[in-house]
Amino acid sequence: MAALFSFRKAPKATPSTSGPVNLPPTTSVRIGMGQLLVEGGEPLRNLERAARMIGEAAQQGCELILLPETLDFAWTHPSALTEAQPIPGPFSDLLCEQASKHKIYVCAGLTERLNGRNYNAAILINPEGEIIVKYHKINLLGVELPFYAVGQTLNVVDTPLGKIGVNICADNYLDGLSIGHTLARMGAEFIISPSSWTVDYSLTEEDDPYREKWVNPFSILARLYNVVVVGTTSVGYIVGGPYEGKKSVGCSLAVDASGVRAQGTFNEFAGDLVVADLPRPIRPEQGTAIGEMLQRKGYQFDKLL
């Protein structure tokens, strides 16, 4: 079977002008959560599946598609230590081409080789095929540290869909929730998170451990700040690396201040697209007004525990 695409460099990004951006009003955003089968050490096959998922999302009218964490080599797969690519580079260029071809925002997790180190990275690409956010995961698990360096920056970008912040997977653990707090304080209306949620191979949907692990922290951010938090996860069995034998089970999640808006199937075979129409939050508070709003909601800044 012929490949869906060849390695071609994406169009060079046009420098953006400085100054305020006049954005047309948007009342809701259709987001596709692409639960992608990610095979360890198989970047070309994974990227072909990503390309098909991007096209499917565009056909279903999605304005943005969110894809999983490290979808090139898979999370903590040893091959990434020697084969990871730069960003921009051949893998990110392929995603940029697909975003431009289908006129859709694409957020995806990749492994980035930069200055002799690897990073667990996420990029947000606009419909012109330009990378407008690049982020490196900060709240790395202990087993990740031999594979990726710790990120050092956060960013929120203005788009016609709203203000979008990007983080990755365990950045939304309760112990890493300060990252989401910061994105919200920076004005994010949508926090989108490529993820790879894994469990022991014996766990089934009836044993779902994710309600407290994900719905709870997503809901804390959503209710405190009136933001939308979206995480998309991979599916499939994990081969190679410290989590070999476990499985990624989907269960992608979109939460706003009203509760869970959309959720993917909890299953290692659930490689599908979950489409959610998510109202754009209204966030009038900025700067210290956000702190005042949090105090009115009972948030305590002066408590150590």
Side-chain angles (χ1 to χ4, degrees):
M1 177 175 145
L4 288 179
F5 41 64
S6 59
F7 286 110
R8 291 186 291 110
K9 190 171 181 60
K12 187 176 180 180
T14 302
S16 59
T17 58
S18 59
V21 179
N22 294 320
L23 302 176
T26 299
T27 57
S28 67
V29 179
R30 173 164 284 196
I31 295 180
M33 298 184 286
Q35 294 195 166
L36 198 69
L37 170 62
V38 176
E39 297 178 273
E42 297 290 347
L44 296 184
R45 290 213 292 252
N46 295 333
L47 285 160
E48 288 196 1
R49 277 189 289 271
R52 286 193 290 268
M53 194 77 80
I54 292 167
E56 181 182 349
Q59 289 177 352
Q60 294 200 33
C62 294
E63 297 158 282
L64 183 154
I65 179 170
L66 177 61
L67 295 168
E69 178 180 13
T70 54
L71 68 80
D72 44 7
F73 296 97
W75 183 70
T76 66
H77 194 274
S79 63
L81 292 172
T82 55
E83 299 176 29
Q85 300 297 314
I87 297 174
F91 296 162
S92 62
D93 287 349
L94 292 173
L95 296 173
C96 289
E97 291 172 6
Q98 294 301 311
S100 177
K101 175 182 177 180
H102 296 288
K103 302 303 177 188
I104 186 173
Y105 285 87
V106 174
C107 183
L110 294 173
T111 313
E112 181 180 23
R113 187 68 174 173
L114 178 65
N115 298 328
R117 308 181 78 179
N118 280 3
Y119 291 88
N120 185 336
I123 55 175
L124 176 62
I125 308 164
N126 68 16
E128 288 71 49
E130 303 162 348
I131 297 173
I132 56 175
V133 171
K134 182 177 74 171
Y135 168 73
H136 294 151
K137 187 176 181 181
I138 294 173
N139 195 35
L140 295 172
L141 277 65
V143 296
E144 288 183 88
L145 292 173
F147 296 87
Y148 316 113
V150 176
Q152 297 178 323
T153 61
L154 286 169
N155 193 17
V156 171
V157 63
D158 285 284
T159 78
L161 306 182
K163 299 179 190 296
I164 299 176
V166 179
N167 66 16
I168 298 173
C169 199
D171 288 329
N172 295 302
Y173 278 4
L174 283 173
D175 68 5
L177 211 55
S178 56
I179 295 167
H181 282 275
T182 302
L183 290 171
R185 294 296 294 255
M186 294 168 71
E189 299 166 78
F190 297 89
I191 297 174
I192 56 177
S193 183
S195 302
S196 181
W197 297 347
T198 59
V199 297
D200 290 335
Y201 75 93
S202 60
L203 286 181
T204 66
E205 187 171 3
E206 289 72 28
D207 306 307
D208 180 2
Y210 283 110
R211 177 148 297 276
E212 287 303 312
K213 194 169 186 178
W214 296 112
V215 175
N216 187 26
F218 279 30
S219 298
I220 290 171
L221 291 175
R223 292 174 185 171
L224 278 177
Y225 296 97
N226 191 28
V227 298
V228 178
V229 187
V230 186
T232 295
T233 72
S234 52
V235 299
Y237 287 96
I238 297 175
V239 296
Y243 272 27
E244 183 165 28
K246 295 180 183 289
K247 60 185 180 181
S248 298
V249 291
C251 204
S252 300
L253 190 64
V255 174
D256 68 8
S258 69
V260 175
R261 300 296 300 241
Q263 189 167 355
T265 302
F266 183 103
N267 190 297
E268 63 268 35
F269 306 111
D272 55 16
L273 179 71
V274 181
V275 176
D277 291 304
L278 302 171
R280 179 177 175 178
I282 298 173
R283 297 201 58 209
E285 297 88 1
Q286 297 181 23
T288 58
I290 295 177
E292 294 165 2
M293 176 268 293
L294 293 176
Q295 284 184 314
R296 290 195 298 271
K297 292 183 177 182
Y299 189 86
Q300 297 181 322
F301 296 96
D302 59 346
K303 300 297 182 184
L304 180 62
L305 298 176

